[in-house]
């Protein structure tokens, strides 16, 4: 790889990771206006990698564009969050049913390792551990989608599942929420390993309904505090 291309890619990844982290942790608040110049100065990079990071984060739902070229941190209403989680329940419920009959031994081992790692880090004692849990959670759900062995389903999930909302909701979890989530992950792997589609779907549904409740409660509390 050309060194200049590699440097550009590394700078873009650095900008992406930093901006994403600040959105998830609330350093950059919902609906806060973003400019390439301010972000570049904040991160210590040129505007080009910041521009690429913004494009990527917009595609993932962390950032939204408004009229007049205004770019802001994405804001979600209670209704929007509810729609996302209802779509996740339908699509990921179907995905795990397929995964229960089609997952390879290697994919099951990957899911087991991810569930174990999340348990080892729960409760997290520092930001880096929380970030690792969130990343492992994303990989866990992505692996289930891949194990379903349906390109059409994977495409639908990638469109319907708003990564930005999911990541921020996960950040709201209490220690009790995280422990429950870990238990769900282990049980999902048990169900897939047992090749029980009904059991797997039931656990996934409970898992996502709990996440939906957390997202809704945080929105209600935020509205009441205004």
């Amino acid at each position: 790889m050309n060194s200049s291309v590699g440097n550009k890619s590394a700078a873009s990844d650095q900008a992406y990771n930093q901006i994403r982290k600040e959105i998830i942790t609330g350093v950059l608040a919902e609906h806060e206006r973003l400019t390439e110049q301010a972000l570049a100065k904040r991160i210590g990079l040129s505007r080009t990698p910041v521009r690429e990071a913004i494009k990527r984060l917009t595609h993932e739902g962390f950032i939204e564009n408004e009229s007049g070229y205004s770019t802001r941190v994405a804001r979600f209403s209670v209704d929007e969050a509810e729609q996302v989680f209802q779509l996740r329940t339908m699509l990921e419920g179907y995905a795990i049913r397929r995964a229960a009959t089609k997952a390879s031994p290697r994919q099951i081992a990957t899911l087991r390792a991810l569930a174990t790692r999340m348990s080892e880090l729960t409760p997290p004692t520092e930001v880096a551990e929380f970030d690792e849990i969130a990343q492992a959670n994303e990989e866990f759900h992505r692996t289930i989608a891949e194990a379903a062995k349906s390109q059409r389903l994977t495409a639908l999930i990638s469109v319907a599942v708003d990564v930005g909302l999911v990541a921020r909701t996960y950040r709201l979890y209490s220690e009790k929420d995280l422990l429950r989530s870990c238990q769900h992950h282990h049980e999902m792997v048990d169900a897939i390993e047992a090749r029980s589609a009904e059991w797997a779907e039931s656990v996934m549904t409970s898992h996502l309904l709990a996440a939906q409740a957390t997202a809704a409660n945080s929105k209600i509390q935020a509205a009441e505090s205004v």
Side-chain angles (χ1 to χ4, degrees):
M1 178 185 291
N2 185 289
S3 60
S4 62
V5 174
N7 290 337
K8 288 180 181 178
S9 177
S12 177
D13 287 344
Q14 181 184 343
Y16 166 83
N17 288 329
Q18 184 62 35
I19 297 169
R20 183 181 188 273
K21 181 178 180 180
E22 293 193 1
I23 291 174
I24 292 173
T25 58
V27 173
L28 294 172
E30 283 194 17
H31 208 54
E32 181 173 340
R33 187 169 182 271
L34 304 174
T35 66
E36 291 178 9
Q37 184 175 0
L39 288 172
K41 183 177 180 180
R42 183 191 194 108
I43 299 171
L45 294 171
S46 68
R47 292 175 64 174
T48 300
V50 169
R51 185 179 304 120
E52 292 302 313
I54 288 175
K55 288 180 182 178
R56 186 174 169 187
L57 289 162
T58 300
H59 176 72
E60 293 181 352
F62 287 93
I63 292 173
E64 58 189 10
N65 293 317
E66 295 185 338
S67 58
Y69 302 101
S70 177
T71 302
R72 296 181 182 273
V73 176
R75 178 172 57 186
F76 298 94
S77 66
V78 173
D79 183 60
E80 286 174 313
E82 184 177 316
Q83 289 179 56
V84 169
F85 281 105
Q86 287 180 348
L87 287 169
R88 285 191 70 190
T89 299
M90 289 186 284
L91 294 173
E92 293 194 59
Y94 179 56
I96 201 169
R97 285 185 67 90
R98 287 180 61 88
T101 60
K102 298 179 181 298
S104 68
R106 175 176 292 183
Q107 287 170 325
I108 293 173
T110 296
L111 290 169
R112 181 72 71 191
L114 288 168
T116 298
R117 184 55 180 158
M118 283 185 274
S119 290
E120 291 172 346
L121 293 169
T122 302
T125 58
E126 55 186 41
V127 174
E129 290 182 350
F130 197 103
D131 290 342
E132 187 176 347
I133 292 173
Q135 289 169 8
N137 179 65
E138 288 181 28
E139 188 176 347
F140 185 93
H141 285 269
R142 184 169 59 251
T143 301
I144 288 176
E146 292 170 354
K149 293 180 171 57
S150 169
Q151 292 184 349
R152 185 181 299 274
L153 179 59
T154 300
L156 286 170
I157 290 174
S158 69
V159 172
V161 177
D162 195 300
V163 178
L165 174 60
V166 174
R168 276 184 283 184
T169 300
Y170 209 70
R171 190 78 190 184
L172 298 170
Y173 277 19
S174 64
E175 181 177 328
K176 180 180 177 181
D177 293 330
L178 287 170
L179 289 170
R180 181 183 58 236
S181 179
C182 284
Q183 182 180 349
H184 285 159
H185 287 135
H186 284 288
E187 192 172 354
M188 279 188 265
V189 182
D190 289 341
I192 292 172
E193 197 166 44
R195 302 302 183 185
S196 175
E198 291 78 10
W199 179 15
E201 183 180 19
S202 174
V203 183
M204 176 66 83
T205 299
S206 295
H207 182 65
L208 294 175
L209 286 174
Q212 181 181 335
T214 298
N217 288 337
S218 70
K219 287 293 180 183
I220 293 170
Q221 290 171 8
E224 289 176 345
S225 66
V226 175

